[in-house]
Amino acid sequence: MTFFLDIAHPGQPPNRFELPPGIYTIGRSEACKIRLRHPEISERHSLLTLRDSLVTIEDLHSSNGTSVDGVPIQEATPVHEDDVIGIGPCLLRVSTSKGAQGYSPAPAEPGVKAPSSTPDVPTALPPPVPPVQPAAPAADPMAAIIREIKNQIHRELIERLDLKRMTVSRIGTDELQTKAREAIRSIIAEVRKNQKLPGGIDPRRLEKEIYDEAMRLGPLEDFLADESINEIMVNGPDQVYVERNGKLELSGQTFMDDESVLGVIERIVAPIGRRIDESQPYVDARLPDGSRVNAIIAPLSLTGPCITIRKFSKRALTVDDLINYGTWTRNAADFLRICVLMRKNMVVAGGTGSGKTTLLNVLSGFIPATDRIVTIEDAAELRLAQPHVIRLEARSPNIEGRGAVPIRDLVRNSLRMRPDRVIVGECRGGEALDMLQAMNTGHDGSLTTVHANSPRDVISRLETMVLMSGMELPSRAIREQIASAIDLVVHESRLSDGSRKVVCISEVVGLEGQQIIMQDLFEYQQTGIDEKGKVTGRFLPTGAMPTFYEHLKSRGLHIEPSVFDPAKQGGEA
């Protein structure tokens, strides 16, 4: 049987579309099979089911509700050919007849809001987008059926177990998880007994998915376990992207609704003492394995709750791992190891996702085990193997907006903790001034990261961040601080094929007049892209010798001069 759907947009005649039997989500989101572009329509507004001669409409907890003949509905409601479905300012009618389109927006059924009366809708809207996406006829309706079954079981689970109350009470984690599993298993057994579970659904798989969404991180659990995935991006409940081997791809996984995504965010931030709500609608956090998490919700996010997870490897990467990945060469690694041992102050620079934190972690591994190290981060991510490490983490304000402890205060406090090395996860504000002062007051060998596009940009970025501290310092005084404090800048970049490479190692030579002088010691030269789309190139020395080369012997260190001679290096990477 073929169905016909008439859609009347505000101020426009109805448009007719032919639909095969199936289940259709209606809303403003691109993921909906029937898309209605209007601000009064929710991302996922309603669910329309077309089966044989049975037509039902269900509201998906939308903002403005769904009505049938002007009567708001709360659950799946049968729809007849004479019924008018109200979704925001749009009117819909489903029929099985090829006759003339059955109604005009003006003489709407009693109680149905006429489109032309909508006060803030322009009189002429752009032509409506055909609601059925090209792949809709081939879409598997089983996915929508499974989602609805999961929604119903999840609601039943919430009724049987007050999960929030049990979570905050003294009940142990193991007992809470056991009770949840037993309840889910019992509900699924009842559904199967009543023959309401379709034959193609695996009960064990269904139990795992519902448990993950109710008690853990939902669809993200499988992605976190997949070592080929580097990053997870949740753009509202209907869209989850992953980065696999440096390339973004749509995963096909979804959450049940906004509340499910919010529940996952709460389970991430609560154990580390962070919070997220309308007064603090974004947060940085971390998972137990150290993976970085950023979450942002309404009213700042218009697409629904968004989560970005940058995964960390389950084991700390080593020098050899970065060499195998082509991030740097053996000569570059040996040179930077010697620089760490010589207590040179270093800044690791690069763009978002270029691997700065990973590289900082590897460089920190070169620090001798006898040194006292203080790490300062916004969300603790570094994993140092040395025995004498103190980890400090910034604190967000409480619900009254008080009690915040920014990184800058922690940097100042760390100087009273007798550190041999200070490592700041990232300088992004006024803490840059305190970091420079630490490097200039006997805390040599300190490390930090900065967002920048090139080594030269690092200098201007640091200068800008020092001004953000509120200190009205002259430009020359700031540049003197930078030139005296920073010895090396290691710049890492994420290339077009998704690979991450150290593209430049520069030395800060000093200050001449008003200009900071830098010299590149190593640089990556891209030569092309092969047939597989992989970037090819060479990491070579520039021929410049570091100004501190003559001091190596006094420190009991040695590196061959040929390392800095481009004629004697192959440098393939």
Side-chain angles (χ1 to χ4, degrees):
M1 176 179 292
T2 300
F3 294 88
F4 298 91
L5 178 65
D6 298 327
I7 301 178
H9 289 258
Q12 293 187 351
N15 288 270
R16 169 159 288 192
F17 304 94
E18 184 177 326
L19 299 179
I23 300 177
Y24 299 87
T25 50
I26 304 174
R28 202 171 71 242
S29 170
E30 293 182 1
C32 292
K33 294 183 180 179
I34 300 177
R35 189 179 180 195
L36 304 177
R37 294 182 178 178
H38 196 281
E40 293 184 23
I41 295 175
S42 301
E43 294 286 324
R44 295 176 68 254
H45 198 109
S46 304
L47 189 72
L48 178 66
T49 304
L50 308 176
R51 291 193 179 282
D52 298 329
S53 59
L54 177 63
V55 179
T56 61
I57 187 74
E58 181 179 357
D59 185 72
L60 299 178
H61 306 289
S62 63
S63 301
N64 296 319
T66 304
S67 65
V68 175
D69 284 346
V71 180
I73 63 172
Q74 303 296 332
E75 56 187 18
T77 303
V79 177
H80 306 288
E81 290 204 11
D82 294 333
D83 293 338
V84 176
I85 303 170
I87 297 179
C90 298
L91 303 179
L92 287 71
R93 174 171 285 174
V94 181
S95 64
T96 57
S97 170
K98 291 186 178 180
Q101 296 176 5
Y103 68 99
S104 172
E109 299 289 338
V112 179
K113 184 178 181 181
S116 59
S117 65
T118 305
D120 56 348
V121 177
T123 56
L125 293 179
V129 177
V132 182
Q133 303 295 332
D140 182 11
M142 186 60 68
I145 295 174
I146 294 175
R147 170 176 285 195
E148 290 312 304
I149 292 174
K150 288 169 62 177
N151 281 338
Q152 294 173 14
I153 295 176
H154 194 267
R155 288 194 291 266
E156 181 67 21
L157 176 65
I158 292 175
E159 291 180 6
R160 296 191 185 187
L161 294 175
D162 189 346
L163 293 179
K164 288 187 177 180
R165 179 184 61 78
M166 295 179 70
T167 301
V168 299
S169 66
R170 294 184 178 180
I171 184 172
T173 303
D174 293 340
E175 184 180 354
L176 176 63
Q177 293 176 350
T178 301
K179 287 181 178 293
R181 282 193 181 278
E182 291 175 351
I184 295 170
R185 198 174 294 120
S186 174
I187 296 170
I188 294 177
E190 292 176 12
V191 173
R192 296 182 67 187
K193 183 178 179 181
N194 296 329
Q195 298 182 348
K196 293 184 178 180
L197 191 67
I201 299 178
D202 181 2
R204 293 185 179 180
R205 174 74 179 176
L206 184 62
E207 176 187 337
K208 177 186 181 299
E209 291 177 354
I210 295 173
Y211 175 79
D212 284 347
E213 199 142 342
M215 302 299 297
R216 301 169 73 185
L217 302 185
L220 307 185
E221 286 292 336
D222 292 337
F223 299 143
L224 291 171
D226 189 343
E227 295 188 3
S228 68
I229 292 177
N230 311 111
E231 201 149 0
I232 306 166
M233 289 146 279
V234 180
N235 306 332
D238 298 316
Q239 197 178 66
V240 180
Y241 277 89
V242 297
E243 181 191 282
R244 196 187 304 271
N245 300 321
K247 296 292 184 180
L248 288 180
E249 59 184 59
L250 185 62
S251 69
Q253 290 282 6
T254 60
F255 287 81
M256 288 187 289
D257 48 33
D258 285 355
E259 286 70 24
S260 297
V261 186
L262 288 170
V264 168
I265 296 173
E266 289 288 348
R267 285 190 284 277
I268 292 174
V269 303
I272 61 172
R274 302 286 173 105
R275 67 182 181 88
I276 187 167
D277 50 38
E278 287 191 1
S279 63
Q280 180 70 33
Y282 58 89
V283 66
D284 289 317
R286 67 180 186 278
L287 297 178
D289 66 355
S291 296
R292 180 189 309 173
V293 181
N294 175 268
I296 185 167
I297 63 173
L300 300 187
S301 172
L302 303 182
T303 58
C306 295
I307 308 173
T308 306
I309 301 176
R310 182 166 299 164
K311 289 176 55 182
F312 272 19
S313 174
K314 293 186 177 180
R315 67 177 183 86
L317 296 181
T318 64
V319 173
D320 291 335
D321 289 330
L322 296 190
I323 293 173
N324 294 335
Y325 295 152
T327 301
W328 59 8
T329 61
R330 174 65 66 183
N331 285 342
D334 289 342
F335 171 69
L336 291 177
R337 180 182 61 83
I338 287 176
C339 291
V340 172
L341 294 176
M342 288 187 69
R343 304 183 67 88
K344 295 298 179 183
N345 295 320
M346 281 191 241
V347 175
V348 179
T352 300
S354 59
K356 299 186 299 298
T357 304
T358 300
L359 183 58
L360 180 65
N361 212 58
V362 173
L363 293 175
S364 301
F366 296 144
I367 298 175
T370 55
D371 284 3
R372 176 178 169 88
I373 307 168
V374 178
T375 68
I376 303 164
E377 300 172 85
D378 194 36
E381 298 168 330
L382 295 174
R383 293 181 287 181
L384 274 64
Q386 289 86 342
H388 200 167
V389 178
I390 297 91
R391 304 175 71 199
L392 305 181
E393 184 179 55
R395 187 175 71 182
S396 301
N398 60 19
I399 196 168
E400 290 87 14
R402 301 176 180 176
V405 181
I407 287 182
R408 186 176 184 190
D409 291 351
L410 294 179
V411 172
R412 286 200 295 263
N413 183 78
S414 70
L415 303 184
R416 304 185 183 98
M417 298 174 67
R418 199 264 179 215
D420 291 310
R421 314 256 186 164
V422 177
I423 302 177
V424 178
E426 181 180 344
C427 283
R428 58 167 68 93
E431 64 271 8
L433 175 60
D434 301 282
M435 186 68 193
L436 292 174
Q437 289 180 331
M439 292 175 173
N440 278 324
T441 54
H443 300 91
D444 297 334
S446 297
L447 305 169
T448 188
T449 69
V450 170
H451 275 83
N453 295 324
S454 68
R456 173 58 60 182
D457 283 345
V458 171
I459 304 303
S460 58
R461 283 274 294 148
L462 286 172
E463 189 172 348
T464 301
M465 287 188 287
V466 169
L467 294 174
M468 292 170 63
S469 68
M471 302 290 290
E472 296 183 1
L473 298 174
S475 178
R476 180 174 177 82
I478 297 174
R479 291 178 182 177
E480 286 177 348
Q481 287 278 319
I482 295 173
S484 175
I486 306 299
D487 296 306
L488 289 172
V489 176
V490 183
H491 188 257
E492 191 171 10
S493 182
R494 178 178 174 181
L495 304 184
S496 59
D497 61 351
S499 62
R500 297 166 172 86
K501 294 184 183 296
V502 173
V503 295
C504 189
I505 300 176
S506 297
E507 180 189 8
V508 178
V509 178
L511 185 69
E512 289 187 5
Q514 294 287 335
Q515 190 69 29
I516 291 179
I517 305 302
M518 302 178 68
Q519 65 171 355
D520 295 341
L521 303 178
F522 296 86
E523 63 179 0
Y524 180 79
Q525 300 173 356
Q526 182 174 336
T527 57
I529 298 177
D530 64 17
E531 63 278 1
K532 296 182 180 179
K534 182 176 176 60
V535 171
T536 59
R538 299 180 300 169
F539 188 80
L540 293 172
T542 62
M545 295 286 288
T547 57
F548 53 84
Y549 183 79
E550 296 299 328
H551 300 290
L552 290 175
K553 290 183 180 180
S554 64
R555 299 291 183 92
L557 301 170
H558 175 72
I559 188 170
E560 290 294 335
S562 60
V563 168
F564 305 100
D565 187 353
K568 298 181 180 180
Q569 304 298 325
E572 293 293 334

